[in-house]
Amino acid sequence: MVIIFDLDGTLLNTIDDLGYACNHALQLAGYPVHPIEAYPAMVGNGINNLIRRALPEAVRTEETILHVREFFVPYYDEHNCDFTRPYAGIPELLATLKAQGHLLAVASNKYQAATEKIVNHFFPGIFDVIFGEREGVNRKPDPQIVYDILNTLNPPYGEADRSTVGRKELSTLNDSQPSTLNSQLIYLGDSLVDRDTARNAGLPFVACSWGFVPRETLVAEGVEHIIDQPVDLLNYVH
């Protein structure tokens, strides 16, 4: 089975390091900073969109965003593991899934260099594919990152299969109990961006409630399958 994980808010609580890096960049660029607890509402669509939301509305131009990013990236590259930690139960879940022989992948909107560094720092040797934001590839919820993961794992998930990958499983997901869900692919994330990515790629989606999006928001948005602790994902895999 192939299990695709979002990174921020799913595998790792990265919010403090993201917030401190953004505040550092904002301050150097001459803009007001935010309390760290304000940052969960700003993340989820890549660094540029994080900076866009953090900037005063009147100056949210591409030129300003790129200027602030020049301060953000060097700081974050140096400090992205200062306060970031795996969520409780995640290392144990990954070890179990790996021992069971599943293929594990990361699909993140964090830029590729930081994604690789952080994943390999906290989960060395665990993931078969690690993809973040890459030049020329649309960010999630565009499904290209999912297609790239599956093509990298080819065989048995190759380019020829991508138009139908997961469609049958997705069509039966809402009527299935976790223990009877018949799928060779699954996507775990904490956000509506992840929900939409899975939907666009035709993959079954399971949301986690411990991330940056409150459980009540996931429920209100009609997310069918929500888990409250990492071990619960084992009910969806076989």
Side-chain angles (χ1 to χ4, degrees):
M1 186 171 189
V2 177
I3 306 167
I4 300 175
F5 293 84
D6 172 53
L7 182 60
D8 299 61
T10 300
L11 294 172
L12 297 170
N13 187 345
T14 57
I15 206 68
D16 285 4
D17 287 332
L18 286 169
Y20 288 129
C22 198
N23 280 346
H24 171 82
L26 290 169
Q27 189 171 36
L28 289 182
Y31 298 109
V33 301
H34 303 276
I36 296 302
E37 55 267 26
Y39 276 99
M42 302 185 202
V43 299
N45 296 91
I47 298 303
N48 286 14
N49 281 311
L50 166 61
I51 294 169
R52 177 179 288 108
R53 295 173 185 134
L55 281 166
E57 187 171 357
V59 296
R60 291 175 181 172
T61 66
E62 289 304 309
E63 181 180 5
T64 302
I65 291 165
L66 293 176
H67 175 62
V68 175
R69 183 185 171 107
E70 290 177 355
F71 297 117
F72 180 101
V73 170
Y75 184 92
Y76 190 65
D77 283 345
E78 185 174 351
H79 296 281
N80 55 28
C81 294
D82 287 1
F83 298 99
T84 290
R85 295 292 183 271
Y87 287 101
I90 285 293
E92 294 81 1
L93 169 67
L94 296 178
T96 298
L97 293 173
K98 195 71 173 176
Q100 291 175 348
H102 300 292
L103 296 174
L104 308 181
V106 168
S108 177
N109 274 342
K110 190 189 301 292
Y111 59 96
Q112 181 70 22
T115 299
E116 289 183 349
K117 176 189 171 184
I118 294 171
V119 171
N120 288 325
H121 175 82
F122 288 103
F123 311 116
I126 292 293
F127 286 94
D128 300 283
V129 184
I130 302 166
F131 280 147
E133 181 186 42
R134 292 158 293 149
E135 186 175 356
V137 180
N138 291 335
R139 291 186 299 270
K140 301 185 295 183
D142 189 285
Q144 187 61 51
I145 192 169
V146 172
Y147 299 151
D148 289 347
I149 286 169
L150 299 182
N151 290 332
T152 302
L153 295 173
N154 179 55
Y157 304 99
E159 182 74 24
D161 302 316
R162 85 182 201 181
S163 63
T164 58
V165 66
R167 296 292 177 187
K168 180 178 179 181
E169 292 85 351
L170 184 67
S171 68
T172 60
L173 177 58
N174 291 343
D175 298 324
S176 302
Q177 296 300 316
S179 60
T180 61
L181 202 141
N182 181 23
S183 174
Q184 290 300 312
L185 302 161
I186 201 164
Y187 186 119
L188 179 71
D190 73 306
S191 73
L192 300 178
V193 171
D194 295 310
R195 187 271 312 270
D196 293 343
T197 305
R199 176 183 292 167
N200 292 338
L203 268 63
F205 176 66
V206 177
C208 61
S209 66
W210 57 79
F212 303 152
V213 178
R215 193 182 211 280
E216 54 267 28
T217 300
L218 297 170
V219 172
E221 290 289 336
V223 177
E224 292 281 342
H225 294 270
I226 305 172
I227 60 174
D228 297 312
Q229 52 187 347
V231 69
D232 293 341
L233 186 66
L234 296 177
N235 295 325
Y236 290 85
V237 303
H238 53 81

